[in-house]
Amino acid sequence: MHIQENLQYIKSTLPDHVTLVAVSKTKPVSDLMEAYNAGQRIFGENKIQEMVDKHETMPKDIEWHMIGHVQSNKVKYMASFVSLIHGVDNFKLLEEINKQAKKHNRIINCLLQIKIASEDSKFGMTSNEASEIIQSEAFSKLKNIKIVGVMGMATFTEDKDQIKKEFTLLKTIFDDLKLIKSCNFKPETISMGMSGDYQLAIDCGSTMVRVGSSIFGERNYN
Ligand SMILES: *Cc1c(COP(=O)(O)O)cnc(C)c1O
């Protein structure tokens, strides 16, 4: 794989206001280091243990993003270093992240995962649930977390019109949520778009794209 070339190409296509998360799940540290040596500092993983292991062996100026589904009982393993948790989809999880962040005297940034896909398999909350959480008093008391935006995954389909509809929906939800005022809600990030659809996502308002296989090649899950 030509990781450095892939990375440079993708970066050259991104507008300045869009952040690239290099999704490195299942890939060996040597692959991540190629990207690191080409200047990449933000990596996304979907398994906490794998992220912890990579964090331990790699340079400490990397920002680690947890992009996968998070189990409450594993938050403690990443609480000392994770820089953004994309997949927060319930209030109990926010409470646990707050509790673990507090132990490390940190504020952990989170995105609320909104369900925009039509498939049942995708995690996420409705826009109403998100808005209720952000407006709740219980949330305003969680001083060691900050919600900095939303994350969504489009339906796995070739139908570009449907994907576009779902991305546009997430942008609309973000714009609505933005009107809510709360001390630990600082909406600035819309995390949407992967290898196959990140250009479309940017056209629809994405500010953060999560790109894996277009940088590191196809994943091998064996
Ligand atoms: C794996 C993954 C990606 C990257 O997918 P590619 O199609 O390889 O770019 C993005 N977001 C999430 C949540 C993922 O799990």
Side-chain angles (χ1 to χ4, degrees):
M1 271 319 286
H2 304 282
I3 293 171
Q4 301 212 351
E5 287 88 337
N6 295 342
L7 188 62
Q8 254 129 33
Y9 168 73
I10 288 167
K11 276 177 30 188
S12 74
T13 67
L14 298 181
D16 286 344
H17 69 277
V18 175
T19 301
L20 173 65
V21 179
V23 175
S24 47
K25 61 194 187 196
T26 79
K27 296 296 176 181
V29 165
S30 55
D31 284 6
L32 277 69
M33 281 310 295
E34 265 197 56
Y36 180 88
N37 289 328
Q40 183 64 23
R41 291 296 180 272
I42 304 178
F43 291 87
E45 292 282 333
N46 73 337
K47 293 211 165 60
I48 293 176
Q49 190 55 53
E50 185 175 342
M51 185 173 79
V52 167
D53 292 345
K54 286 172 174 169
H55 166 256
E56 275 170 13
T57 54
M58 291 184 62
K60 294 299 172 278
D61 60 344
I62 291 173
E63 279 183 33
W64 293 97
H65 288 202
M66 174 42 58
I67 62 168
H69 186 66
V70 177
Q71 287 171 275
S72 279
N73 60 344
K74 292 189 180 161
V75 172
K76 55 178 177 283
Y77 302 116
M78 63 177 171
S80 67
F81 70 91
V82 68
S83 77
L84 182 62
I85 302 176
H86 289 233
V88 177
D89 65 355
N90 65 79
F91 184 72
K92 272 201 131 51
L93 182 56
L94 279 175
E95 287 183 308
E96 176 62 15
I97 296 167
N98 184 71
K99 179 177 152 194
Q100 298 301 333
K102 194 169 182 179
K103 287 184 187 167
H104 296 279
N105 219 344
R106 306 183 58 212
I107 293 173
I108 296 181
N109 289 340
C110 300
L111 302 176
L112 293 182
Q113 182 168 358
I114 310 290
K115 184 174 152 60
I116 52 171
S118 56
E119 301 152 303
D120 287 337
S121 61
K122 298 277 198 293
F123 293 103
M125 54 176 82
T126 65
S127 57
N128 279 337
E129 288 169 322
S131 130
E132 272 168 30
I133 286 177
I134 299 167
Q135 291 180 70
S136 72
E137 203 186 323
F139 167 69
S140 69
K141 289 181 177 151
L142 304 180
K143 301 294 181 206
N144 291 82
I145 53 164
K146 199 187 289 170
I147 292 181
V148 296
V150 295
M151 179 268 211
M153 287 175 84
T155 304
F156 187 70
T157 173
E158 295 291 308
D159 183 348
K160 294 280 173 214
D161 285 339
Q162 180 169 359
I163 296 174
K164 188 175 173 185
K165 245 187 242 163
E166 295 173 358
F167 284 157
T168 303
L169 173 64
L170 187 59
K171 164 74 169 138
T172 305
I173 292 171
F174 174 81
D175 288 341
D176 288 345
L177 291 175
K178 249 175 113 168
L179 303 172
I180 304 173
K181 298 274 177 278
S182 174
C183 49
N184 44 359
F185 179 53
K186 294 272 162 342
E188 46 204 28
T189 299
I190 304 178
S191 166
M192 63 182 182
M194 320 195 334
S195 289
D197 55 24
Y198 72 89
Q199 294 288 6
L200 181 56
I202 292 168
D203 293 343
C204 297
S206 172
T207 68
M208 185 175 278
V209 294
R210 310 176 307 268
V211 180
S213 41
S214 290
I215 298 172
F216 296 105
E218 292 302 317
R219 285 175 293 275
N220 182 351
Y221 283 103
N222 297 320

